[in-house]
Amino acid sequence: MSDDLEDFEVLLSQDFSATQFCNDLLKTTNRQPTTTELELGTPMKKIRYDLEEVESRITETIKNNPAHVLDQIYKSKSLEDVARSNIKPSLEYLDISYKRLQQEVLEPYERAQVLQNVLSKVHQTSLLLRDGAIYIHLANRIQFITSKQKHYSINTALELVTYYTQINLSMSENVNLKSLRLIKQLETEVVIPVRKELINFLSLTLTKTLATPEQVQKDQEIISKLAKALHNMSQRDFVTTIQKAVLSHVAVTVQALAKTINSIKDFPVALEDAMKRSMAIESLELILHEVKVEKTSLLADYMLQVKPKNVRPHHLFWKKVSDAFKKEFDTSYSRGGPVGKSLARNGGMIIDTIKQRMADTITNDADSQDMDVMLHAVSIINPQAETN
């Protein structure tokens, strides 16, 4: 029978590829390089011929070897029955195992997933109600305190700040709180209006406490508490308040120094007052440095927010004082007259006063720069004053 299959060896090979067979057949029947048309008739006839030949040989084989063919059919049927009878128990066992897996694992897991989703929503609702209850309690406390007192005391203000700190914490931990109607109402009617009043009170009180050098030295603990409380309520208002306090001391100092231009003998007294204010601002720096917020301090946070950045308040004080006083001093000196002549006659005293008084407070290079800044303000008297 192998001889009968000799013409079909290519088709029976293990690496037979129908695509490659068709390509080879087309190449064989299309060898003319001059034509651009693909001739398909001959390959189709060849394929039909082969199909007819295979069918003819199958028919002939069945006619000539009926017993052998039937025997092969029975053997195939017998093998199929044997395979089925051997595999059937395994298939039934797998089916039972799968049903057990379905009933004992998959279905309970799916139910557990549903329950987990429900539990998660219940948990979220529970947290929302808990945080809402905390918010309502804090808002009621704020309303109760403010309804009893028309004017805040420092202790009352500090107590209110603790409530607002807790409110902010609750809001940050559960952003869905604002979706509750009652929370929205309390925020509009109580929390926001009182917050504005509280910030104004803290800012005004801190400004008053920083108004004079004597108060700064006396009320350092109060300043520390007020500064931290204001920072907790509003970082922007904290920075603005400290900056206004420094500039207020600058304005008073410049005014006092400007008056000495017409009475230069009073210059040492005015400079002494300026140094007291500078020392008060340095004390403020120390207070702010010791108050820690998160991973930094109030002083570091202030220096990052204010312009110019990273300049200590007392250095800023001397720079502002020097710039403003220099304008007044230069104008009066250049104008001449009795005032200008007085400034020229007392130039040595002015420069020596700055050097002597400010040298006593120099503890580092930065303090030395403050003295140079003030010498620059009167440099019109002696251009070398800046470097001496």
Side-chain angles (χ1 to χ4, degrees), residues 41 92 126 257:
E92 291 176 348
S126 175
L257 289 173

PDB file of all heavy atoms in Angstrom, residues 41 92 126 257:
ATOM      1  N   GLY A  41      -5.830  28.354 -13.643  1.00  0.00           N
ATOM      2  CA  GLY A  41      -6.602  27.218 -14.163  1.00  0.00           C
ATOM      3  C   GLY A  41      -5.884  25.895 -14.007  1.00  0.00           C
ATOM      4  O   GLY A  41      -6.452  24.909 -13.524  1.00  0.00           O
ATOM      5  N   GLU A  92     -15.731  11.920  35.989  1.00  0.00           N
ATOM      6  CA  GLU A  92     -16.783  12.059  37.004  1.00  0.00           C
ATOM      7  C   GLU A  92     -16.211  12.588  38.316  1.00  0.00           C
ATOM      8  O   GLU A  92     -16.827  13.417  38.991  1.00  0.00           O
ATOM      9  CB  GLU A  92     -17.457  10.701  37.224  1.00  0.00           C
ATOM     10  CG  GLU A  92     -18.293  10.240  36.031  1.00  0.00           C
ATOM     11  CD  GLU A  92     -18.872   8.852  36.258  1.00  0.00           C
ATOM     12  OE1 GLU A  92     -18.435   8.183  37.226  1.00  0.00           O
ATOM     13  OE2 GLU A  92     -19.753   8.438  35.467  1.00  0.00           O
ATOM     14  N   SER A 126     -20.164  54.516  58.998  1.00  0.00           N
ATOM     15  CA  SER A 126     -19.880  54.637  60.428  1.00  0.00           C
ATOM     16  C   SER A 126     -18.844  55.725  60.694  1.00  0.00           C
ATOM     17  O   SER A 126     -18.997  56.545  61.601  1.00  0.00           O
ATOM     18  CB  SER A 126     -19.385  53.289  60.968  1.00  0.00           C
ATOM     19  OG  SER A 126     -18.995  53.411  62.325  1.00  0.00           O
ATOM     20  N   LEU A 257      14.849 108.673  64.073  1.00  0.00           N
ATOM     21  CA  LEU A 257      16.148 109.036  63.507  1.00  0.00           C
ATOM     22  C   LEU A 257      16.041 110.261  62.610  1.00  0.00           C
ATOM     23  O   LEU A 257      16.941 111.122  62.588  1.00  0.00           O
ATOM     24  CB  LEU A 257      16.722 107.854  62.725  1.00  0.00           C
ATOM     25  CG  LEU A 257      17.205 106.656  63.544  1.00  0.00           C
ATOM     26  CD1 LEU A 257      17.584 105.496  62.627  1.00  0.00           C
ATOM     27  CD2 LEU A 257      18.402 107.035  64.411  1.00  0.00           C
TER      28      LEU A 257
END
